[in-house]
Amino acid sequence: MTYHDDAVVPHPLQATRVRTLASTARVTEVETLADGRTLSAPGAVTEGGYPVVLVQPGTTLHAALFDRPGDVAARVTLQVPREFGGHRLVRATLAACGWLSALPESRLRPAAVAIAEHYPDEMLFTALEYADDPDAPLIAELDLASIDRSEE
C-alpha cells in the first residue's frame, strides 16, 4: 500500500494483480448492503472488468432493481478458479463492493455471454428475450467502488 495525503492508495502492482484475478473470476453470491441479505447468483466479469449477475425473479433484489430503477448498494463475491491435479480449486476470493443496477437492453448480450462462459443456463436466454418483463430474470452490473482480495 502507498500512503498519499493520508489516503491509502493501492500499489500499482496490487491493482494489476486484482484486475488479473478478476478477469477470470466467477460470481458466486450477492449481498445487498442495506439489509445484509445474501443470495446465490450466477455471474462473471465482463471484458470491460465489471461484475455482472443473473438475478432471478421473485427475489427482493430483483424487485429492487426492476420496480425501482436505480442503484442498489451491494457486495459481490467473486471466486477465481484454478485447476490442480485434475481438481478445480479456488485460487482467490474477491469481495467487490459498489452499486448494482439493471443493464439496459443494449448491453445485455455481452454480459450474458460472459455469464454463460461460467454458468450456461437457459435463464440467460429468457433474460435477453424478455428484458422488460417483470416475471423474467434480469442481468445487473456492479459499478465498482472497492475490491478486497484474499488469496488461498
Short mmCIF file of all heavy atoms in Angstrom, two decimals, residues 52-103:
data_model
loop_
_atom_site.label_atom_id
_atom_site.label_comp_id
_atom_site.label_asym_id
_atom_site.label_seq_id
_atom_site.Cartn_x
_atom_site.Cartn_y
_atom_site.Cartn_z
N VAL A 52 -21.03 -8.90 -13.45
CA VAL A 52 -22.44 -8.95 -13.86
C VAL A 52 -23.07 -10.20 -13.26
O VAL A 52 -22.40 -11.22 -13.10
CB VAL A 52 -22.60 -8.94 -15.40
CG1 VAL A 52 -22.25 -7.58 -15.97
CG2 VAL A 52 -21.77 -10.02 -16.06
N VAL A 53 -24.34 -10.10 -12.90
CA VAL A 53 -25.04 -11.22 -12.28
C VAL A 53 -26.41 -11.42 -12.91
O VAL A 53 -27.03 -10.47 -13.39
CB VAL A 53 -25.22 -11.02 -10.75
CG1 VAL A 53 -23.89 -11.02 -10.04
CG2 VAL A 53 -25.98 -9.77 -10.44
N LEU A 54 -26.85 -12.67 -12.89
CA LEU A 54 -28.19 -13.03 -13.34
C LEU A 54 -29.07 -13.08 -12.10
O LEU A 54 -28.84 -13.90 -11.22
CB LEU A 54 -28.17 -14.39 -14.06
CG LEU A 54 -29.50 -14.91 -14.56
CD1 LEU A 54 -30.08 -14.00 -15.65
CD2 LEU A 54 -29.33 -16.33 -15.08
N VAL A 55 -30.06 -12.20 -12.03
CA VAL A 55 -30.93 -12.10 -10.85
C VAL A 55 -32.28 -12.74 -11.17
O VAL A 55 -32.96 -12.33 -12.12
CB VAL A 55 -31.11 -10.62 -10.43
CG1 VAL A 55 -31.97 -10.53 -9.18
CG2 VAL A 55 -29.76 -9.96 -10.20
N GLN A 56 -32.64 -13.73 -10.36
CA GLN A 56 -33.89 -14.47 -10.58
C GLN A 56 -35.10 -13.65 -10.13
O GLN A 56 -35.03 -12.92 -9.13
CB GLN A 56 -33.86 -15.78 -9.79
CG GLN A 56 -32.72 -16.70 -10.16
CD GLN A 56 -32.80 -17.19 -11.60
OE1 GLN A 56 -33.87 -17.32 -12.17
NE2 GLN A 56 -31.64 -17.47 -12.18
N PRO A 57 -36.23 -13.77 -10.85
CA PRO A 57 -37.45 -13.10 -10.42
C PRO A 57 -37.94 -13.69 -9.09
O PRO A 57 -37.64 -14.84 -8.77
CB PRO A 57 -38.44 -13.37 -11.54
CG PRO A 57 -37.90 -14.56 -12.26
CD PRO A 57 -36.41 -14.56 -12.06
N GLY A 58 -38.65 -12.88 -8.34
CA GLY A 58 -39.17 -13.35 -7.05
C GLY A 58 -38.24 -13.05 -5.89
O GLY A 58 -38.63 -13.22 -4.74
N THR A 59 -37.04 -12.60 -6.16
CA THR A 59 -36.12 -12.23 -5.09
C THR A 59 -36.29 -10.75 -4.76
O THR A 59 -36.75 -9.96 -5.60
CB THR A 59 -34.64 -12.49 -5.48
OG1 THR A 59 -34.31 -11.66 -6.60
CG2 THR A 59 -34.42 -13.95 -5.83
N THR A 60 -35.92 -10.37 -3.55
CA THR A 60 -36.03 -8.95 -3.17
C THR A 60 -35.09 -8.09 -4.02
O THR A 60 -35.41 -6.95 -4.32
CB THR A 60 -35.72 -8.75 -1.68
OG1 THR A 60 -34.43 -9.29 -1.39
CG2 THR A 60 -36.77 -9.40 -0.81
N LEU A 61 -33.96 -8.66 -4.41
CA LEU A 61 -33.03 -7.90 -5.26
C LEU A 61 -33.64 -7.63 -6.63
O LEU A 61 -33.54 -6.52 -7.15
CB LEU A 61 -31.70 -8.66 -5.40
CG LEU A 61 -30.63 -7.97 -6.24
CD1 LEU A 61 -30.30 -6.57 -5.70
CD2 LEU A 61 -29.37 -8.83 -6.31
N HIS A 62 -34.30 -8.62 -7.20
CA HIS A 62 -34.97 -8.43 -8.49
C HIS A 62 -36.02 -7.33 -8.38
O HIS A 62 -36.10 -6.44 -9.23
CB HIS A 62 -35.62 -9.74 -8.94
CG HIS A 62 -36.20 -9.69 -10.32
ND1 HIS A 62 -37.42 -9.12 -10.59
CD2 HIS A 62 -35.71 -10.13 -11.50
CE1 HIS A 62 -37.68 -9.23 -11.87
NE2 HIS A 62 -36.66 -9.83 -12.46
N ALA A 63 -36.81 -7.39 -7.32
CA ALA A 63 -37.85 -6.37 -7.12
C ALA A 63 -37.22 -4.98 -6.98
O ALA A 63 -37.72 -4.01 -7.56
CB ALA A 63 -38.68 -6.70 -5.89
N ALA A 64 -36.14 -4.87 -6.23
CA ALA A 64 -35.49 -3.58 -6.03
C ALA A 64 -34.93 -3.03 -7.33
O ALA A 64 -35.01 -1.83 -7.60
CB ALA A 64 -34.38 -3.71 -4.99
N LEU A 65 -34.37 -3.90 -8.16
CA LEU A 65 -33.77 -3.44 -9.43
C LEU A 65 -34.82 -3.19 -10.51
O LEU A 65 -34.66 -2.29 -11.33
CB LEU A 65 -32.76 -4.47 -9.93
CG LEU A 65 -31.50 -4.62 -9.09
CD1 LEU A 65 -30.71 -5.84 -9.52
CD2 LEU A 65 -30.65 -3.36 -9.17
N PHE A 66 -35.91 -3.96 -10.52
CA PHE A 66 -36.90 -3.83 -11.57
C PHE A 66 -37.96 -2.78 -11.25
O PHE A 66 -38.30 -1.95 -12.08
CB PHE A 66 -37.59 -5.17 -11.85
CG PHE A 66 -38.35 -5.18 -13.13
CD1 PHE A 66 -37.71 -5.51 -14.32
CD2 PHE A 66 -39.69 -4.83 -13.18
CE1 PHE A 66 -38.40 -5.49 -15.52
CE2 PHE A 66 -40.38 -4.81 -14.36
CZ PHE A 66 -39.73 -5.14 -15.54
N ASP A 67 -38.50 -2.83 -10.05
CA ASP A 67 -39.61 -1.94 -9.69
C ASP A 67 -39.16 -0.52 -9.41
O ASP A 67 -39.88 0.44 -9.67
CB ASP A 67 -40.35 -2.48 -8.47
CG ASP A 67 -41.03 -3.81 -8.75
OD1 ASP A 67 -41.29 -4.11 -9.93
OD2 ASP A 67 -41.27 -4.55 -7.79
N ARG A 68 -37.99 -0.39 -8.84
CA ARG A 68 -37.47 0.95 -8.50
C ARG A 68 -36.12 1.12 -9.18
O ARG A 68 -35.08 0.93 -8.56
CB ARG A 68 -37.31 1.08 -6.98
CG ARG A 68 -38.60 0.99 -6.23
CD ARG A 68 -38.37 1.05 -4.74
NE ARG A 68 -37.49 -0.01 -4.26
CZ ARG A 68 -37.91 -1.15 -3.73
NH1 ARG A 68 -39.20 -1.39 -3.62
NH2 ARG A 68 -37.06 -2.05 -3.31
N PRO A 69 -36.14 1.44 -10.48
CA PRO A 69 -34.87 1.55 -11.20
C PRO A 69 -33.93 2.50 -10.47
O PRO A 69 -34.31 3.56 -10.02
CB PRO A 69 -35.26 2.10 -12.56
CG PRO A 69 -36.70 1.76 -12.73
CD PRO A 69 -37.29 1.77 -11.33
N GLY A 70 -32.74 2.07 -10.36
CA GLY A 70 -31.72 2.83 -9.65
C GLY A 70 -30.67 1.88 -9.15
O GLY A 70 -30.66 0.70 -9.49
N ASP A 71 -29.80 2.38 -8.34
CA ASP A 71 -28.70 1.58 -7.86
C ASP A 71 -28.98 1.00 -6.49
O ASP A 71 -29.61 1.62 -5.65
CB ASP A 71 -27.43 2.44 -7.79
CG ASP A 71 -27.01 2.96 -9.15
OD1 ASP A 71 -27.40 2.35 -10.16
OD2 ASP A 71 -26.30 3.97 -9.22
N VAL A 72 -28.48 -0.22 -6.28
CA VAL A 72 -28.60 -0.90 -5.00
C VAL A 72 -27.17 -1.14 -4.50
O VAL A 72 -26.35 -1.72 -5.21
CB VAL A 72 -29.33 -2.25 -5.16
CG1 VAL A 72 -29.32 -3.03 -3.86
CG2 VAL A 72 -30.76 -2.04 -5.65
N ALA A 73 -26.87 -0.68 -3.29
CA ALA A 73 -25.55 -0.92 -2.71
C ALA A 73 -25.40 -2.42 -2.47
O ALA A 73 -26.27 -3.05 -1.86
CB ALA A 73 -25.39 -0.15 -1.40
N ALA A 74 -24.30 -2.99 -2.98
CA ALA A 74 -24.15 -4.44 -2.90
C ALA A 74 -22.68 -4.84 -2.81
O ALA A 74 -21.79 -4.08 -3.17
CB ALA A 74 -24.78 -5.11 -4.12
N ARG A 75 -22.48 -6.05 -2.31
CA ARG A 75 -21.16 -6.69 -2.31
C ARG A 75 -21.31 -7.97 -3.11
O ARG A 75 -22.18 -8.79 -2.84
CB ARG A 75 -20.70 -7.02 -0.89
CG ARG A 75 -19.36 -7.77 -0.87
CD ARG A 75 -18.92 -8.17 0.53
NE ARG A 75 -18.70 -6.98 1.35
CZ ARG A 75 -19.39 -6.70 2.46
NH1 ARG A 75 -20.35 -7.50 2.89
NH2 ARG A 75 -19.14 -5.61 3.15
N VAL A 76 -20.45 -8.14 -4.09
CA VAL A 76 -20.47 -9.31 -4.94
C VAL A 76 -19.23 -10.14 -4.62
O VAL A 76 -18.12 -9.62 -4.60
CB VAL A 76 -20.48 -8.91 -6.43
CG1 VAL A 76 -20.34 -10.11 -7.34
CG2 VAL A 76 -21.75 -8.14 -6.77
N THR A 77 -19.43 -11.42 -4.34
CA THR A 77 -18.30 -12.32 -4.08
C THR A 77 -17.89 -12.99 -5.38
O THR A 77 -18.71 -13.60 -6.06
CB THR A 77 -18.68 -13.40 -3.04
OG1 THR A 77 -19.10 -12.75 -1.85
CG2 THR A 77 -17.51 -14.31 -2.74
N LEU A 78 -16.61 -12.83 -5.70
CA LEU A 78 -16.04 -13.43 -6.90
C LEU A 78 -15.04 -14.49 -6.50
O LEU A 78 -14.25 -14.28 -5.57
CB LEU A 78 -15.30 -12.37 -7.73
CG LEU A 78 -16.10 -11.15 -8.16
CD1 LEU A 78 -15.18 -10.00 -8.46
CD2 LEU A 78 -16.92 -11.48 -9.37
N GLN A 79 -15.07 -15.62 -7.18
CA GLN A 79 -14.08 -16.66 -6.93
C GLN A 79 -13.28 -16.90 -8.20
O GLN A 79 -13.85 -17.00 -9.28
CB GLN A 79 -14.73 -17.95 -6.46
CG GLN A 79 -15.28 -17.86 -5.07
CD GLN A 79 -15.77 -19.19 -4.56
OE1 GLN A 79 -16.11 -20.08 -5.31
NE2 GLN A 79 -15.81 -19.32 -3.24
N VAL A 80 -11.97 -16.99 -8.02
CA VAL A 80 -11.07 -17.23 -9.14
C VAL A 80 -10.66 -18.71 -9.10
O VAL A 80 -10.03 -19.14 -8.13
CB VAL A 80 -9.82 -16.33 -9.05
CG1 VAL A 80 -8.91 -16.55 -10.25
CG2 VAL A 80 -10.22 -14.87 -8.93
N PRO A 81 -11.06 -19.48 -10.11
CA PRO A 81 -10.75 -20.91 -10.09
C PRO A 81 -9.35 -21.21 -10.62
O PRO A 81 -8.75 -20.40 -11.33
CB PRO A 81 -11.81 -21.50 -11.01
CG PRO A 81 -12.06 -20.41 -12.00
CD PRO A 81 -11.90 -19.12 -11.24
N ARG A 82 -8.87 -22.40 -10.28
CA ARG A 82 -7.64 -22.94 -10.89
C ARG A 82 -7.74 -24.46 -10.89
O ARG A 82 -8.39 -25.05 -10.04
CB ARG A 82 -6.39 -22.46 -10.18
CG ARG A 82 -6.16 -23.10 -8.84
CD ARG A 82 -4.77 -22.78 -8.33
NE ARG A 82 -4.73 -23.00 -6.89
CZ ARG A 82 -3.86 -22.47 -6.10
NH1 ARG A 82 -2.95 -21.68 -6.58
NH2 ARG A 82 -3.89 -22.72 -4.81
N GLU A 83 -7.08 -25.04 -11.86
CA GLU A 83 -7.01 -26.50 -11.97
C GLU A 83 -5.70 -26.95 -11.34
O GLU A 83 -4.65 -26.38 -11.59
CB GLU A 83 -7.04 -26.93 -13.43
CG GLU A 83 -8.35 -26.65 -14.13
CD GLU A 83 -9.44 -27.63 -13.76
OE1 GLU A 83 -9.14 -28.79 -13.48
OE2 GLU A 83 -10.62 -27.20 -13.74
N PHE A 84 -5.78 -27.97 -10.51
CA PHE A 84 -4.59 -28.52 -9.88
C PHE A 84 -4.77 -30.02 -9.72
O PHE A 84 -5.68 -30.45 -9.01
CB PHE A 84 -4.34 -27.85 -8.51
CG PHE A 84 -3.06 -28.29 -7.86
CD1 PHE A 84 -1.84 -27.80 -8.30
CD2 PHE A 84 -3.08 -29.20 -6.82
CE1 PHE A 84 -0.67 -28.20 -7.71
CE2 PHE A 84 -1.90 -29.61 -6.22
CZ PHE A 84 -0.69 -29.11 -6.68
N GLY A 85 -3.96 -30.78 -10.41
CA GLY A 85 -4.04 -32.23 -10.30
C GLY A 85 -5.40 -32.80 -10.70
O GLY A 85 -5.88 -33.75 -10.11
N GLY A 86 -6.03 -32.17 -11.69
CA GLY A 86 -7.33 -32.63 -12.14
C GLY A 86 -8.50 -32.18 -11.28
O GLY A 86 -9.63 -32.56 -11.51
N HIS A 87 -8.21 -31.37 -10.26
CA HIS A 87 -9.26 -30.86 -9.39
C HIS A 87 -9.42 -29.35 -9.60
O HIS A 87 -8.45 -28.64 -9.80
CB HIS A 87 -8.91 -31.11 -7.91
CG HIS A 87 -8.77 -32.55 -7.58
ND1 HIS A 87 -9.85 -33.38 -7.42
CD2 HIS A 87 -7.67 -33.32 -7.40
CE1 HIS A 87 -9.44 -34.59 -7.15
NE2 HIS A 87 -8.11 -34.59 -7.13
N ARG A 88 -10.65 -28.90 -9.52
CA ARG A 88 -10.93 -27.47 -9.63
C ARG A 88 -10.94 -26.88 -8.22
O ARG A 88 -11.74 -27.27 -7.39
CB ARG A 88 -12.27 -27.25 -10.32
CG ARG A 88 -12.51 -25.82 -10.71
CD ARG A 88 -13.81 -25.72 -11.51
NE ARG A 88 -14.08 -24.37 -11.88
CZ ARG A 88 -13.80 -23.84 -13.06
NH1 ARG A 88 -13.24 -24.58 -13.98
NH2 ARG A 88 -14.09 -22.58 -13.33
N LEU A 89 -10.02 -25.94 -7.99
CA LEU A 89 -9.88 -25.32 -6.68
C LEU A 89 -10.12 -23.82 -6.78
O LEU A 89 -10.12 -23.25 -7.88
CB LEU A 89 -8.47 -25.57 -6.13
CG LEU A 89 -8.03 -27.03 -6.03
CD1 LEU A 89 -6.55 -27.12 -5.70
CD2 LEU A 89 -8.86 -27.75 -5.00
N VAL A 90 -10.29 -23.17 -5.65
CA VAL A 90 -10.43 -21.72 -5.61
C VAL A 90 -9.06 -21.11 -5.37
O VAL A 90 -8.40 -21.41 -4.37
CB VAL A 90 -11.42 -21.28 -4.50
CG1 VAL A 90 -11.46 -19.76 -4.41
CG2 VAL A 90 -12.80 -21.83 -4.77
N ARG A 91 -8.62 -20.29 -6.29
CA ARG A 91 -7.31 -19.64 -6.19
C ARG A 91 -7.36 -18.40 -5.32
O ARG A 91 -6.46 -18.11 -4.55
CB ARG A 91 -6.84 -19.25 -7.59
CG ARG A 91 -5.54 -18.53 -7.63
CD ARG A 91 -5.17 -18.23 -9.05
NE ARG A 91 -3.86 -17.62 -9.10
CZ ARG A 91 -3.29 -17.23 -10.20
NH1 ARG A 91 -3.91 -17.38 -11.36
NH2 ARG A 91 -2.11 -16.67 -10.18
N ALA A 92 -8.44 -17.63 -5.46
CA ALA A 92 -8.61 -16.40 -4.67
C ALA A 92 -10.09 -16.06 -4.59
O ALA A 92 -10.88 -16.46 -5.45
CB ALA A 92 -7.84 -15.25 -5.30
N THR A 93 -10.44 -15.32 -3.57
CA THR A 93 -11.79 -14.81 -3.41
C THR A 93 -11.71 -13.30 -3.35
O THR A 93 -10.90 -12.75 -2.60
CB THR A 93 -12.44 -15.36 -2.13
OG1 THR A 93 -12.49 -16.79 -2.22
CG2 THR A 93 -13.85 -14.84 -1.96
N LEU A 94 -12.52 -12.65 -4.15
CA LEU A 94 -12.56 -11.19 -4.20
C LEU A 94 -13.93 -10.72 -3.73
O LEU A 94 -14.95 -11.30 -4.10
CB LEU A 94 -12.32 -10.69 -5.63
CG LEU A 94 -11.06 -11.18 -6.34
CD1 LEU A 94 -11.08 -10.76 -7.80
CD2 LEU A 94 -9.83 -10.62 -5.66
N ALA A 95 -13.95 -9.67 -2.93
CA ALA A 95 -15.20 -9.06 -2.49
C ALA A 95 -15.28 -7.69 -3.15
O ALA A 95 -14.51 -6.79 -2.81
CB ALA A 95 -15.25 -8.95 -0.98
N ALA A 96 -16.18 -7.56 -4.10
CA ALA A 96 -16.33 -6.30 -4.84
C ALA A 96 -17.55 -5.56 -4.31
O ALA A 96 -18.65 -6.10 -4.28
CB ALA A 96 -16.49 -6.59 -6.32
N CYS A 97 -17.35 -4.33 -3.86
CA CYS A 97 -18.45 -3.51 -3.36
C CYS A 97 -18.73 -2.39 -4.35
O CYS A 97 -17.81 -1.88 -5.01
CB CYS A 97 -18.09 -2.89 -2.01
SG CYS A 97 -17.94 -4.11 -0.71
N GLY A 98 -19.98 -2.01 -4.43
CA GLY A 98 -20.35 -0.93 -5.33
C GLY A 98 -21.85 -0.82 -5.46
O GLY A 98 -22.60 -1.17 -4.54
N TRP A 99 -22.28 -0.35 -6.63
CA TRP A 99 -23.68 -0.08 -6.88
C TRP A 99 -24.16 -0.98 -8.01
O TRP A 99 -23.64 -0.94 -9.11
CB TRP A 99 -23.88 1.38 -7.25
CG TRP A 99 -23.42 2.27 -6.15
CD1 TRP A 99 -22.23 2.92 -6.05
CD2 TRP A 99 -24.14 2.57 -4.95
NE1 TRP A 99 -22.17 3.61 -4.87
CE2 TRP A 99 -23.32 3.42 -4.17
CE3 TRP A 99 -25.39 2.21 -4.45
CZ2 TRP A 99 -23.72 3.90 -2.94
CZ3 TRP A 99 -25.79 2.70 -3.22
CH2 TRP A 99 -24.95 3.54 -2.49
N LEU A 100 -25.16 -1.79 -7.71
CA LEU A 100 -25.71 -2.74 -8.66
C LEU A 100 -26.90 -2.11 -9.36
O LEU A 100 -27.78 -1.52 -8.71
CB LEU A 100 -26.15 -4.00 -7.89
CG LEU A 100 -26.32 -5.30 -8.64
CD1 LEU A 100 -25.03 -5.72 -9.31
CD2 LEU A 100 -26.80 -6.38 -7.69
N SER A 101 -26.95 -2.23 -10.68
CA SER A 101 -28.09 -1.70 -11.44
C SER A 101 -28.40 -2.63 -12.61
O SER A 101 -27.50 -3.28 -13.15
CB SER A 101 -27.81 -0.28 -11.94
OG SER A 101 -26.67 -0.25 -12.76
N ALA A 102 -29.67 -2.67 -12.99
CA ALA A 102 -30.10 -3.49 -14.13
C ALA A 102 -29.50 -2.90 -15.40
O ALA A 102 -29.47 -1.68 -15.58
CB ALA A 102 -31.62 -3.52 -14.21
N LEU A 103 -29.03 -3.79 -16.27
CA LEU A 103 -28.45 -3.33 -17.52
C LEU A 103 -29.54 -2.98 -18.53
O LEU A 103 -30.57 -3.66 -18.60
CB LEU A 103 -27.57 -4.43 -18.13
CG LEU A 103 -26.19 -4.60 -17.52
CD1 LEU A 103 -25.49 -5.81 -18.12
CD2 LEU A 103 -25.35 -3.37 -17.71
#
